[in-house]
Amino acid sequence: MNIATGFGGEKKAARRAFDKAYEAQCAAITAEAKRMIAIAGTPAEIWRVHDYLSERRKTVDRIYDYRYSVLHLVFARLLREGWLTEADLAGLHREKIDRIKLDASFYS
């Protein structure tokens, strides 16, 4: 299933949903890193912030793949993890949304 198939409006809706989830996840990472820095009292705790950010970077880079051939799987994962809602997918064709929801149900 290729999300990009169809009209330009569907491509824009896909990009909008992708960017929304990416920005929300990055904002959550930023908030957690700031919280960790605020309570860090030792050099080891500062390095834990570094480790946290490094791990989050790897995770984000692994998840956010905008290739159209895998975008429905990206959306399924983001939906399952709560970074997207079905409403965020508005503008995609109904059958694509249904497929994303189905795929999301299989993510563990």
Side-chain angles (χ1 to χ4, degrees):
M1 177 180 79
N2 188 331
I3 298 246
T5 303
F7 301 102
E10 193 170 35
K11 286 182 183 180
K12 288 179 185 176
R15 187 77 226 191
R16 191 171 39 252
F18 183 91
D19 290 345
K20 180 181 189 255
Y22 179 79
E23 290 170 15
Q25 193 158 14
C26 287
I29 292 166
T30 300
E32 178 61 12
K34 286 179 180 180
R35 186 197 67 75
M36 292 171 74
I37 288 170
I39 63 172
T42 66
E45 290 169 337
I46 294 295
W47 290 118
R48 272 195 282 274
V49 176
H50 172 271
D51 295 344
Y52 168 79
L53 288 171
S54 294
E55 283 304 311
R56 295 290 65 81
R57 175 63 187 256
K58 289 176 195 172
T59 299
V60 167
D61 286 348
R62 189 174 54 250
I63 294 171
Y64 289 88
D65 183 347
Y66 198 75
R67 290 177 296 152
Y68 291 130
S69 60
V70 297
L71 196 52
H72 70 286
L73 296 173
V74 172
F75 285 164
R77 180 175 183 168
L78 295 172
L79 187 66
R80 173 73 177 199
E81 293 179 358
W83 298 110
L84 284 178
T85 65
E86 185 176 346
D88 296 324
L89 300 174
L92 299 182
H93 292 183
R94 181 79 246 165
E95 65 274 4
K96 290 179 184 174
I97 294 172
D98 290 342
R99 175 64 190 269
I100 290 166
K101 287 171 46 182
L102 178 65
D103 289 345
S105 70
F106 292 115
Y107 264 96
S108 56

